[in-house]
C-alpha cells in the first residue's frame, strides 16, 4: 500500500477502507509516513469528510495505537465525563468529587488547555504540590481507596492522537467532525470506563458554533461509544457565554471549591448538578430524580467537598489551600474593565474572552510555554446584565503588566451592549443518547 494512493483516494472523495486507515495510523506512529503526507490526508479529510464507518475505524485505530488501560481491579462501576472544551469550564473539578462521594468510581484522564480553552490538568496543577502523573497501580489504588483520581494522559495512551493533534493544530485542520470525534473517542476508549457522559459545548466559545453541528458531533461520539460497548449520553450545553465568573487556573479552582460548598455562581452550580446527575443515572444509581436529590445532598452535607480534599491529599497537593482559598496568591497586576455605554450586555464573543485570559498568562501560546496560575479574569457582569458607563464588567489579573491593555481592549471589543434585553439561552440545549 502507498500513502500517496490513500491521499488521492480521499482527495477524490472516495471512502477509505479499514486497512487503509490502519495503514496510515500505524505508519505515522512508527515514523514511516512523514508529516507532510499526513498533513495532506488531514486536509483531504477536512474537505471531503468521512462516513460513519470510516470515522469509527479511525477512532478504533487511534485507540489501538498504544497502550490500553485495564481498570478491572477497580471495585465498582466507573464513570467518566468529557467536555469538548470551553471557557471557564471547571465542571470536572466539581462533578467528579460529587459522583465519587456517592460511591461511583471516577478514574479520570484529563487534558491541558488548548488554544482559547482551559484544561482540567492545568487547573489542578494550580494547587501547590498536586501531582497529575501517577503510575497505573497507584492510580487504581487511589481510586479504590477514595473513589477518585484525576491524571494527565500518559505518553503511551493513544499516541496517534498526540501526533495527529499537534499536526492538526498547525495545519488548520482541528475543526473537522471526523477528526474531532476520533481524537476524543480514541482517547476515551483507550481508558476502561463503563459509562461516559459527554458535555458537547455549543456557541461562540466552543469548537462547534451551532447547535446543529454540536448535535452531529454528539451523535457520532455516542454511536461510536455504544459500538465499543459503553453506556453513553451527550448533553449539548451553552458556550455562548463563559461558565461561572472565573477564567484562569487558580481563580477557577477557588470557584470550584465554592461550588462544591454550595456557594458558587448559579449557572456553574446548575450545570454541575445536571452533569453529575446524568453520570449517576447512566451508572444506574437510581432514577434521574433520585440521583439529582443525592447530588444536592452531597453538596449540602459537605461530602463532595471532603472527597475533593481527600483527592488533593492523595495526589500530593497541599489541601490547606482548598480549606482556605485565600492562601492562593493573587496576581500582582490587576485592571478593571469598564463599560463605555449604557444598556444590556446582549452578546459576548466567548472565544475572545478565552484568548484574553491566554494573553494575561492563563494559557499557552506555544506548547512549551509556562502558565501563570494566578492570571485570568473575574467577570462582574454577564450576558443579560444591565450596565451603566463606568460599571466594572470584569477584573483582569496577571503577572505581566504589559498584557493588561491588550486584554482590556479585547474584552471591550468582544462585549456587545444593546438597548433591548437579549434572550439568554438555557444551559442545556439538547440531549443525545
Ligand atoms: N479535544 C480533543 O481531545 N480533540 C479534538 O480534536 C478536539 C477537542
Amino acid at each position: 500500500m502507498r500513502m500517496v494512493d490513500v491521499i488521492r483516494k480521499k482527495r477524490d472523495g472516495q471512502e477509505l477502507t479499514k486497512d487503509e486507515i490502519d495503514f496510515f495510523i500505524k505508519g505515522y506512529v512508527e515514523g514511516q509516513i512523514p508529516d507532510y503526507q499526513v498533513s495532506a490526508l488531514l486536509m483531504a479529510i477536512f474537505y471531503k469528510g468521512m462516513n460513519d464507518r470510516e470515522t469509527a475505524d479511525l477512532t478504533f485505530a487511534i485507540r489501538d495505537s498504544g497502550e490500553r488501560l485495564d481498570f478491572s481491579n477497580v471495585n465498582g462501576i466507573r464513570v467518566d465525563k468529557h467536555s469538548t472544551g470551553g471557557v471557564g469550564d471547571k465542571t470536572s473539578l466539581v462533578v467528579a468529587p460529587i459522583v465519587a462521594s456517592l460511591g461511583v468510581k471516577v478514574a479520570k484522564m484529563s487534558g491541558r488547555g488548548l488554544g482559547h480553552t482551559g484544561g482540567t490538568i492545568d487547573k489542578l496543577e494550580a494547587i501547590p504540590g498536586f501531582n497529575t502523573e501517577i503510575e497505573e497501580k497507584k492510580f487504581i489504588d487511589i481510586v479504590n481507596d477514595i473513589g477518585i483520581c484525576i491524571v494527565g494522559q500518559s505518553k503511551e495512551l493513544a499516541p496517534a492522537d498526540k501526533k495527529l493533534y499537534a499536526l492538526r493544530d498547525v495545519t488548520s485542520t482541528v475543526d473537522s467532525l471526523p477528526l474531532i470525534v476520533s481524537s476524543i473517542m480514541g482517547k476515551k476508549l483507550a481508558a476502561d470506563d463503563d459509562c461516559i457522559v459527554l458535555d458537547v459545548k455549543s456557541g461562540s466559545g466552543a469548537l462547534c458554533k451551532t447547535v446543529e453541528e454540536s448535535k452531529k458531533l454528539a451523535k457520532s461520539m455516542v454511536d461510536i461509544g455504544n459500538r465499543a460497548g459503553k453506556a453513553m449520553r451527550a448533553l449539548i450545553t451553552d458556550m455562548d457565554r463563559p461558565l461561572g465568573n472565573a477564567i484562569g487556573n487558580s481563580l477557577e479552582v477557588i470557584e470550584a471549591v465554592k461550588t462544591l460548598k454550595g456557594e458558587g455562581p448559579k449557572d456553574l452550580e446548575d450545570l454541575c448538578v445536571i452533569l453529575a446527575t446524568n453520570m449517576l443515572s447512566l451508572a444506574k444509581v437510581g432514577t434521574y430524580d433520585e440521583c439529582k436529590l443525592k447530588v444536592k445532598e452531597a453538596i449540602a452535607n459537605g461530602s463532595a467537598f471532603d472527597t475533593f480534599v481527600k483527592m488533593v491529599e492523595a495526589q500530593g497537593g497541599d489541601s490547606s489551600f482548598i480549606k482556605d482559598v485565600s492562601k492562593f496568591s493573587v496576581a500582582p497586576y490587576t485592571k478593571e474593565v469598564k463599560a463605555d455605554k449604557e444598556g444590556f450586555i446582549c452578546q459576548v464573543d466567548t472565544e475572545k474572552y478565552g484568548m484574553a485570559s491566554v494573553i494575561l498568562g492563563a494559557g499557552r501560546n506555544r506548547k512549551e510555554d509556562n502558565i501563570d496560575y494566578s492570571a485570568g479574569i473575574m467577570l462582574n457582569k454577564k450576558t443579560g446584565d444591565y450596565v451603566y458607563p463606568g460599571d466594572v464588567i470584569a477584573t483582569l489579573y496577571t503577572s505581566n503588566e504589559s498584557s493588561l491593555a491588550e486584554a482590556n481592549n479585547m474584552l471591550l471589543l468582544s462585549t456587545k451592549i444593546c438597548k433591548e434585553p437579549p434572550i439568554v439561552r438555557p444551559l442545556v440545549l439538547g440531549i443525545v443518547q
Side-chain angles (χ1 to χ4, degrees), residues 22-33:
D22 288 345
F23 162 79
F24 115 72
I25 290 295
K26 191 165 181 294
Y28 189 42
V29 171
E30 289 176 356
Q32 282 139 14
I33 301 177

Side-chain angles (χ1 to χ4, degrees), residues 77-189:
I77 191 148
R78 286 110 37 196
V79 63
D80 194 5
K81 184 229 50 135
H82 184 85
S83 155
T84 55
V87 178
D89 180 6
K90 67 285 289 172
T91 54
S92 288
L93 270 53
V94 183
V95 299
I98 293 175
V99 168
S101 76
L102 292 164
V104 171
K105 298 293 195 291
V106 185
K108 190 159 174 50
M109 222 82 45
S110 287
R112 294 190 182 277
L114 205 62
H116 70 282
T117 67
T120 300
I121 293 301
D122 292 331
K123 292 171 203 186
L124 287 171
E125 286 179 353
I127 303 167
F130 197 99
N131 179 15
T132 57
E133 286 176 25
I134 293 178
E135 52 88 20
E136 197 172 332
K137 170 149 185 348
K138 182 159 181 226
F139 174 70
I140 289 174
D141 286 348
I142 294 175
V143 175
N144 277 330
D145 205 22
I146 60 171
I148 178 174
C149 188
I150 304 181
V151 294
Q153 188 191 334
S154 73
K155 281 193 196 71
E156 295 79 25
L157 196 94
D161 178 61
K162 275 220 175 67
K163 287 191 81 173
L164 284 174
Y165 201 96
L167 201 57
R168 286 167 61 208
D169 212 13
V170 293
T171 55
S172 231
T173 50
V174 170
D175 43 349
S176 145
L177 191 135
L179 297 179
I180 297 172
V181 169
S182 55
S183 165
I184 293 178
M185 291 307 292
K187 289 188 286 255
K188 288 288 122 183
L189 298 180

Side-chain angles (χ1 to χ4, degrees), residues 312-376:
V312 169
E313 287 169 356
Q315 296 194 228
D318 182 347
S319 64
S320 68
F321 281 72
I322 304 306
K323 292 172 187 159
D324 174 10
V325 290
S326 70
K327 285 187 79 172
F328 280 101
S329 54
V330 178
Y333 302 104
T334 64
K335 181 173 177 59
E336 291 180 336
V337 181
K338 294 186 176 164
D340 49 8
K341 61 177 176 181
E342 180 179 344
F344 291 96
I345 297 188
C346 55
Q347 204 184 337
V348 300
D349 184 336
T350 312
E351 182 168 336
K352 293 274 168 48
Y353 273 48
M355 283 317 301
S357 76
V358 173
I359 289 167
L360 293 166
R364 300 176 186 81
N365 287 313
R366 289 167 310 165
K367 237 174 81 194
E368 57 280 8
D369 285 351
N370 286 326
I371 286 205
D372 172 2
Y373 291 114
S374 63

